[in-house]
Amino acid sequence: MPRGTRALIGCAMLPSSSLPAAEVAVAPVVPALTFAGPGSAAAMNFSEVFKLSSLLCKFSPDGKYLASCVQYRLVIRDVNTLQILQLYTCLDQIQHIEWSADSLFILCAMYKRGLVQVWSLEQPEWHCRIDEGSAGLVASCWSPDGRHILNTTEFHLRITVWSLCTKSVSYIKYPKACQQGITFTRDGRYMALAERRDCKDHVSVFVCSDWQLLRHFDTETQDLAGIEWAPNGCVLAVWDTCLEYKVLLYSLDGRLLSAYCAYEWSLGVKSVAWSPSSQFLAVGSYDGKVRILNHVTWKMITEFGHPATVNNPKIVVYKEAEKNPRLALGRLAFPPPRAAAGPASTTESKYEIASAPVSLQTLKPIADRANPKIGIGALAFSPDNYFLATRNDSVPNAVWIWDVQKLRLFVVLEQLSPVRSFQWDPQQPRLAICTGGGKVYLWSPAGCVSVQVPGEGDFQVLSLCWHFSGDSLALLSKDHFCLCFLETEERVGTAFGRPGDHT
């Protein structure tokens, strides 16, 4: 990796500007919405709704701050009070934000302008601007040390490594344009980079402390689609294009440990996820199955199917159903009022336990279009390694939750609308789900609830993210966001001691 001479990064000392009085007021909290969760009492408080652009809202890694964007402005809030601590103005509309690992810096990328601006939380007057010029910019991210920024130029011609400490610049050639081409080990020591040179796929492993090349090897892939380190940093998973089913496992020194292929002559791998313990690798495929590989032999130990009908009476299936308000006899309005005739997202709903066999809503894919709605589009392990949540894109309204210890289906949740996103609580086996409507859904081993987001208008939850403590949840809509504060009298972890209970 050739190193350039000291490159000028636009770092300017900016005068400290005082914030308008209206911007520093403590945000009010909506009165608590209390519900009786299955198996444990819980309460949820919702904050005021704030403006947001492009779903750009992220908690800092240390959990103290919340960053959000409104067009070209970056707003930093205190997580506990939601008071505005800093208000930064960027040169153009922000398209990407990312916290440094130590939460001391935050970068804002403006891809259209080829610019990255970096702000300091400790020294608000400090400012850094990186201009990639004619090379353009398509991606920007932090290195694990929080003092280097990796910018990927247009057409993936190179990756530029900028140092905030020395203002030096280094270049990495041949990065590949793929689904996930850069991955860091959890301890921050190594970076693996997918490369394409001489019409062949390669992987380079760099030492993040000095960006020296540690290993370089070619991969047995036709068109590499992604790479990801195991959480323990010992094994690198590499998977091929969806046209060729191939998952490769490499050691840190570049040795091929194993190659896995489930079938041929059909669409292959769609999603991949490591378990937190690094003992399992879940491979979601276009045939609607998840295959679990073990860390000893790297062979498949089981596969999870996602049929449209759940026949096993031991499997609990929660179906979301609308709540029908009780109307007094003789007072049935016709035509129905405007509010009642609106979309399902504005009506209250609840979960009902369905009796087997249960038929799930399926979606017939359009065969002559790209990216067909089939296969396992999302999968994630719970932080305690006990559960795996999956979504089969041809059964878009359902979330499947598997018991990893017993390698069997545990629960199925079927929503009224297609599932847009789900995410595990970082501290306990609790899953948050959103469907693009005005509700947020929570599941734990003790049961599940559907909660309407309060406030004026229709707040459509398009995405969500957890605070690392698991005590709060950011709900994001197209133009707004709010915080949901969770309080539980009984930790869900204790409820896991009796996973068979479903109230």
Side-chain angles (χ1 to χ4, degrees):
M1 180 178 64
R3 290 184 176 271
T5 57
R6 290 172 62 89
L8 178 63
I9 305 179
C11 294
M13 301 296 288
L14 298 181
S16 177
S17 58
S18 59
L19 299 177
E23 294 286 355
V24 297
V26 178
V29 176
V30 175
L33 172 62
T34 305
F35 63 90
S40 65
M44 300 178 71
N45 298 323
F46 289 86
S47 74
E48 180 189 356
V49 174
F50 303 99
K51 289 185 178 181
L52 184 70
S53 297
S54 306
L55 300 179
L56 294 177
C57 180
K58 291 185 179 181
F59 291 104
S60 61
D62 64 6
K64 295 180 180 179
Y65 311 109
L66 177 66
S68 61
C69 295
V70 183
Q71 295 183 347
Y72 57 89
R73 287 191 173 92
L74 174 67
V75 183
I76 308 296
R77 300 177 187 273
D78 180 275
V79 165
N80 296 320
T81 65
L82 295 183
Q83 179 180 0
I84 294 180
L85 302 177
Q86 299 294 338
L87 182 64
Y88 301 109
T89 302
C90 293
L91 296 173
D92 204 339
Q93 183 163 343
I94 304 168
Q95 295 173 272
H96 172 69
I97 60 173
E98 186 174 328
W99 286 96
S100 62
D102 56 9
S103 305
L104 296 180
F105 298 91
I106 185 169
L107 70 79
C108 301
M110 291 144 278
Y111 297 138
K112 295 179 181 179
R113 292 274 298 268
L115 289 175
V116 172
Q117 290 185 265
V118 186
W119 308 95
S120 169
L121 271 293
E122 285 190 335
Q123 300 176 320
E125 69 279 359
W126 182 89
H127 172 234
C128 173
R129 185 181 70 186
I130 302 174
D131 190 345
E132 291 292 346
S134 59
L137 182 67
V138 295
S140 183
C141 68
W142 284 103
S143 67
D145 67 357
R147 298 300 179 270
H148 293 81
I149 294 176
L150 283 70
N151 285 346
T152 304
T153 61
E154 284 186 345
F155 309 110
H156 285 72
L157 298 178
R158 70 187 184 202
I159 291 178
T160 310
V161 183
W162 300 87
S163 171
L164 298 186
C165 300
T166 64
K167 297 186 180 181
S168 62
V169 59
S170 304
Y171 300 103
I172 304 176
K173 295 182 178 180
Y174 313 115
K176 181 170 185 178
C178 59
Q179 175 185 351
Q180 183 177 332
I182 298 178
T183 178
F184 296 96
T185 55
R186 185 164 294 182
D187 60 11
R189 297 179 61 186
Y190 304 108
M191 179 189 79
L193 175 69
E195 299 179 350
R196 185 78 174 179
R197 56 176 77 181
D198 300 326
C199 298
K200 278 188 64 67
D201 292 326
H202 299 79
V203 169
S204 290
V205 179
F206 295 90
V207 180
C208 293
S209 58
D210 55 9
W211 302 106
Q212 293 300 313
L213 181 65
L214 178 67
R215 290 288 186 273
H216 175 76
F217 53 92
D218 59 350
T219 61
E220 300 177 8
T221 52
Q222 296 294 325
D223 185 10
L224 186 153
I227 58 177
E228 186 172 351
W229 286 108
N232 61 13
C234 297
V235 179
L236 180 70
V238 178
W239 58 96
D240 212 335
T241 173
C242 63
L243 300 178
E244 174 123 0
Y245 200 118
K246 186 179 289 186
V247 179
L248 307 171
L249 288 309
Y250 290 92
S251 64
L252 184 61
D253 58 4
R255 290 181 295 113
L256 179 61
L257 301 176
S258 181
Y260 176 74
C261 175
Y263 52 80
E264 295 181 335
W265 316 117
S266 185
L267 294 178
V269 177
K270 188 170 187 177
S271 54
V272 172
W274 284 99
S275 68
S277 64
S278 303
Q279 293 176 296
F280 304 109
L281 179 66
V283 182
S285 311
Y286 276 89
D287 67 346
K289 295 181 179 179
V290 174
R291 293 166 175 86
I292 306 295
L293 310 184
N294 73 87
H295 73 297
V296 179
T297 63
W298 297 116
K299 304 298 182 182
M300 187 186 75
I301 57 175
T302 190
E303 65 179 23
F304 297 146
H306 295 70
T309 303
V310 180
N311 294 308
N312 189 345
K314 295 183 180 180
I315 305 301
V316 177
V317 179
Y318 292 104
K319 294 178 75 76
E320 183 188 7
E322 293 184 16
K323 285 185 179 180
N324 295 320
R326 296 181 179 179
L327 296 176
L329 187 62
R331 295 184 180 180
L332 183 61
F334 187 86
R338 184 180 300 270
S345 61
T346 60
T347 61
E348 293 185 4
S349 68
K350 61 179 180 179
Y351 279 109
E352 297 177 346
I353 297 179
S355 301
V358 182
S359 296
L360 306 175
Q361 298 182 45
T362 59
L363 182 68
K364 186 176 181 180
I366 303 177
D368 58 350
R369 291 188 182 181
N371 302 316
K373 296 291 184 180
I374 58 174
I376 309 303
L379 68 169
F381 284 91
S382 62
D384 58 6
N385 212 66
Y386 280 104
F387 296 105
L388 172 68
T390 62
R391 185 194 70 217
N392 184 1
D393 289 348
S394 61
V395 191
N397 294 18
V399 176
W400 308 68
I401 300 176
W402 307 84
D403 186 330
V404 176
Q405 299 236 327
K406 297 182 180 179
L407 298 177
R408 65 178 179 85
L409 181 60
F410 190 56
V411 166
V412 178
L413 284 76
E414 187 180 31
Q415 312 298 134
L416 291 172
S417 303
V419 175
R420 291 187 60 96
S421 176
F422 57 77
Q423 194 174 105
W424 287 102
D425 181 332
Q427 300 298 327
Q428 55 182 300
R430 180 167 58 182
L431 188 70
I433 304 168
C434 66
T435 62
K439 290 176 281 289
V440 60
Y441 309 90
L442 293 174
W443 174 88
S444 77
C448 53
V449 291
S450 166
V451 182
Q452 181 75 35
V453 180
E456 298 179 0
D458 187 14
F459 187 98
Q460 297 182 338
V461 186
L462 302 180
S463 183
L464 45 81
C465 60
W466 284 96
H467 187 271
F468 85 93
S469 68
D471 294 334
S472 60
L473 185 67
L475 308 178
L476 317 181
S477 73
K478 181 181 178 181
D479 300 313
H480 299 89
F481 79 94
C482 71
L483 255 58
C484 171
F485 300 94
L486 295 95
E487 301 173 0
T488 56
E489 296 178 3
E490 180 183 357
R491 295 291 288 177
V492 179
T494 61
F496 180 71
R498 49 179 195 281
D501 294 346
H502 295 275
T503 305

